Structure formats: C-alpha cells, structure tokens
Amino acid sequence: MFVDSGRDFCQFTVYYLQRKQKRGEVKRTFSQQISYDTNALDFNVLHANSLALNKVYVITSKSTASASEIVINNLKPYLQVIQVGDATLGKDMAGFVIEDRRKPKKITWQMHPVIYKVFNAGGEGNYTNGIVPQIQVNEYSSLPLRALGDPDEVLLSSVLHQIYSKSIYNGTQLQDVKVLYQSDSPFIGFSN
C-alpha cells in the first residue's frame, strides 16, 4: 500500500545494541531497506502496483502483535488508519535467537536478545502497552462467535457500520458474556 508518489512508503528507525553496550541508530527509507536484498522487487515496481488508498480499517484483538502492529503503526503517517476491536498486544521490539548449533549440541539453552525497536516515518512507536483502537469493540459481546467474513460477526459489523452507517451489531455488553477460555491465548488460561 503506497500512497505518496513523492516519498517512500515508510522510514524505518532501528535501535540496536553494538559491542560494549553502545547504542546506535540506523535510519533507512523503505527503498533503501529493500535495496539490500538483491532478490527484492524494485521500489518503483512496488509503487506502480500500489492501491492508492487514503483510509484503511484494521480489526485487532489482544492477540494482534508484532508484524501486524508494525503495519498499523507504519501506515499512520501516510493514510488514515481506523483500528476497530481491542488494544493490540504491544510487541514493538524484536531480536534473534542465539543457540548452540553444534552436533551434538553441548548447550541446551537459548538467548533471545532484543536488538531493535521500530518507529514509523513520523517518529511514532513505543507501543509496549499495545496500540489502542479508535473504535473499541468487544468481539465476545455476541455469542456464539461467527465465521470470519460473516457480516453479522461483531467486529466486521462494526467496520461495516462505520463505512456504510448501518449496523447489524446489537450492542450486547461484556457483562452479559462470560469468556471461559480464549483459544488463541493458551498462556492466559481461564478468566473470571
């Protein structure tokens, strides 16, 4: 999704740890970043196939994280992003795995150092506590849950209401629904 023909889609600001715990900062535009990969498409090819959107709706939950949050945050300087649902998880940093790859393995543990945080072209980032939606909607307010794409599904209905000013959503509140287990959050377990 490329919007402005005069600028690159987004600018990456990456903070990383260097030797001896010194911090550094690397700023690259999207076209500079993809130029490092010789197999990547040329930026002009990507731009020519853009959708030229000025607004996008994004449905989120507490399980929305990482790459999805980067897309949401990095689109904001270039088009109107309307987030519907719940606040995201808040994974605004990343790293890599350091492990023993010898055969046979002599060390069984791994290290996962955090090596960067991502900010958008406007310098916005730092969403460790999640990205809060403009339109908060509880997807459990109407049970049973409906299939993805069903216009009666609560989150999609809320988006359609915003777009077409008509809603199928009946407005049932959370206190009417008790969520016993959220299958996409296995570490949370049962809630009260």
Side-chain angles (χ1 to χ4, degrees):
M1 293 179 230
F2 303 98
V3 179
D4 189 339
S5 61
R7 289 184 283 177
D8 291 340
F9 173 64
C10 61
Q11 177 178 329
F12 296 94
T13 302
V14 180
Y15 291 94
Y16 63 95
L17 294 176
Q18 296 176 335
R19 291 182 190 180
K20 299 180 184 175
Q21 302 298 322
K22 294 180 183 175
R23 292 187 72 150
E25 182 177 333
V26 177
K27 289 188 177 185
R28 294 187 189 124
T29 64
F30 184 71
S31 60
Q32 290 169 336
Q33 185 67 30
I34 64 173
S35 70
Y36 288 111
D37 183 356
T38 56
N39 296 322
L41 292 173
D42 180 77
F43 182 78
N44 293 323
V45 172
L46 294 173
H47 192 273
N49 292 298
S50 71
L51 297 175
L53 300 173
N54 59 9
K55 183 188 301 183
V56 64
Y57 291 83
V58 181
I59 295 173
T60 61
S61 74
K62 293 176 185 173
S63 299
T64 304
S66 200
S68 301
E69 291 173 309
I70 290 171
V71 169
I72 293 166
N73 191 53
N74 284 355
L75 286 175
K76 287 180 178 181
Y78 302 101
L79 56 111
Q80 184 180 7
V81 177
I82 301 171
Q83 184 181 339
V84 178
D86 209 339
T88 63
L89 181 68
K91 187 174 179 290
D92 64 343
M93 59 192 77
F96 63 93
V97 178
I98 300 173
E99 63 184 334
D100 185 358
R101 294 190 178 184
R102 297 175 286 191
K103 298 206 189 252
K105 202 179 260 194
K106 295 181 180 181
I107 300 171
T108 58
W109 50 267
Q110 300 175 334
M111 290 191 329
H112 298 258
V114 174
I115 60 166
Y116 71 87
K117 287 183 76 103
V118 178
F119 296 85
N120 66 21
E124 297 170 0
N126 217 14
Y127 45 86
T128 306
N129 295 322
I131 303 172
V132 178
Q134 291 87 347
I135 303 168
Q136 289 193 315
V137 177
N138 176 7
E139 76 176 305
Y140 299 109
S141 64
S142 178
L143 295 175
L145 296 176
R146 304 218 180 230
L148 290 174
D150 184 333
D152 290 335
E153 191 273 324
V154 174
L155 295 171
L156 181 56
S157 175
S158 298
V159 170
L160 294 173
H161 172 70
Q162 285 295 312
I163 295 170
Y164 300 111
S165 296
K166 57 184 173 182
S167 177
I168 303 162
Y169 175 58
N170 66 8
T172 306
Q173 297 301 313
L174 178 60
Q175 64 259 22
D176 300 335
V177 177
K178 183 175 182 180
V179 177
L180 296 176
Y181 181 74
Q182 185 175 339
S183 63
D184 60 350
S185 298
F187 299 109
I188 294 174
F190 293 96
S191 62
N192 294 332

